[in-house]
């Protein structure tokens, strides 16, 4: 799925222009990101939950050279599908 796909679905279902659908898509994605930054999660009922998780600093291996490298601590996003989504797929 891409932003263009979402914009096309919005355009077809609401009968707005392509530019308006693109703005709506960007606004939707921005709102989801803001909510995840603010609360650490975002839930779409009947679809699933996106959760922000912290990752610890760790050592890893460079696959080309086999050299040990340090990976900094950071954040990642996890998704857990709802039972409704799992059942429908």
């Amino acid at each position: 799925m891409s932003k263009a796909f979402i914009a096309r679905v919005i355009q077809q279902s609401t009968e707005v222009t392509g530019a308006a659908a693109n703005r709506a898509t960007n606004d939707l994605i921005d709102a989801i990101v803001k909510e995840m930054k603010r609360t650490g999660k975002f839930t779409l009922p009947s679809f699933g939950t996106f959760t922000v998780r912290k990752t610890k600093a760790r050592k890893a291996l460079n696959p080309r050279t086999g050299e040990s490298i340090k990976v900094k601590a950071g954040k990642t996003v996890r998704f857990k599908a709802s039972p409704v989504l799992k059942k429908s797929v």
Side-chain angles (χ1 to χ4, degrees):
M1 183 183 302
S2 65
K3 286 172 72 172
F5 174 78
I6 295 170
R8 191 168 50 251
V9 170
I10 290 172
Q11 182 181 8
Q12 291 170 352
S13 67
T14 59
E15 297 177 2
V16 297
T17 64
N22 284 332
R23 281 194 306 275
T25 301
N26 289 331
D27 290 346
L28 173 68
I29 292 171
D30 290 344
I32 291 170
V33 170
K34 284 179 186 176
E35 182 67 13
M36 289 177 63
K37 283 182 178 180
R38 191 173 68 78
T39 64
K41 70 178 187 176
F42 178 78
T43 301
L44 279 172
S46 301
F47 185 73
T49 302
F50 296 89
T51 311
V52 178
R53 295 219 178 139
K54 294 180 180 178
T55 58
K56 296 180 180 180
R58 64 187 190 280
K59 290 184 180 180
L61 292 177
N62 182 330
R64 289 188 181 178
T65 64
E67 178 183 353
S68 180
I69 57 173
K70 292 181 183 178
V71 178
K72 295 180 183 179
K75 294 180 183 178
T76 188
V77 177
R78 302 286 174 117
F79 176 74
K80 182 177 180 184
S82 74
V84 174
L85 178 63
K86 289 180 182 179
K87 188 176 180 180
S88 64
V89 175

